[in-house]
Amino acid sequence: MATKKYVAKYRLLKETYEGITGKGISDITWYRTVASLKQYFSLSIESEKAISIVETYALMKRKCSAFSFRTSDFSERWQAFKHFYDAEEVQYTGQQFLVALADYLKINLDDVPRSTR
């Protein structure tokens, strides 16, 4: 059974999300979103960083409404992000990162249009 404090924070996080995106979200969709945030970002509803995680996710959704954890290539993209995020204190310039990312994803940069890079 959820505590009053948990329910209040859960509701606050939902309202925060809706305020940032400017759209309502159904209870079941919010429940699934929270489950994904728990899986990928270690969200704990009552933690201090919960609001920050929800705000960041809401900003991503506002910029790209099609963003979803359930897309077929999300796991691949998440693994690439984690690979570079978990690297020990490595610093890249923009060009160095582009080359390292292309190597990681096994992409030939000559096949990528300059406007896409």
Side-chain angles (χ1 to χ4, degrees):
M1 194 75 181
T3 65
K4 286 184 179 182
K5 181 180 175 184
Y6 180 93
V7 172
K9 183 77 179 267
Y10 187 86
R11 189 175 310 121
L12 173 68
L13 294 174
K14 182 180 177 190
E15 290 169 359
T16 300
Y17 174 86
E18 291 174 332
I20 291 171
T21 60
K23 298 179 186 177
I25 185 170
S26 70
D27 290 338
I28 190 65
T29 302
W30 179 244
Y31 176 82
R32 290 179 184 140
T33 299
V34 168
S36 294
L37 291 172
K38 285 179 177 181
Q39 178 182 354
Y40 291 105
F41 298 106
S42 303
L43 174 71
S44 173
I45 297 297
E46 296 185 60
S47 75
E48 294 288 325
K49 64 180 182 176
I51 195 93
S52 175
I53 292 170
V54 170
E55 286 172 345
T56 302
Y57 176 71
L59 288 169
M60 287 190 298
K61 284 296 280 186
R62 188 174 73 187
K63 289 183 181 181
C64 179
S65 61
F67 174 80
S68 172
F69 295 112
R70 290 176 169 58
T71 58
S72 60
D73 56 355
F74 177 77
S75 291
E76 178 186 355
R77 292 175 183 180
W78 182 248
Q79 290 306 316
F81 169 79
K82 294 281 288 173
H83 172 78
F84 289 101
Y85 184 78
D86 293 339
E88 294 184 27
E89 301 297 319
V90 177
Q91 297 261 334
Y92 295 105
T93 64
Q95 182 63 30
Q96 289 171 332
F97 178 72
L98 183 62
V99 170
L101 181 62
D103 288 343
Y104 179 81
L105 296 175
K106 298 175 180 63
I107 296 172
N108 182 355
L109 282 177
D110 294 333
D111 296 339
V112 179
R114 289 184 68 204
S115 61
T116 301
R117 294 181 209 171

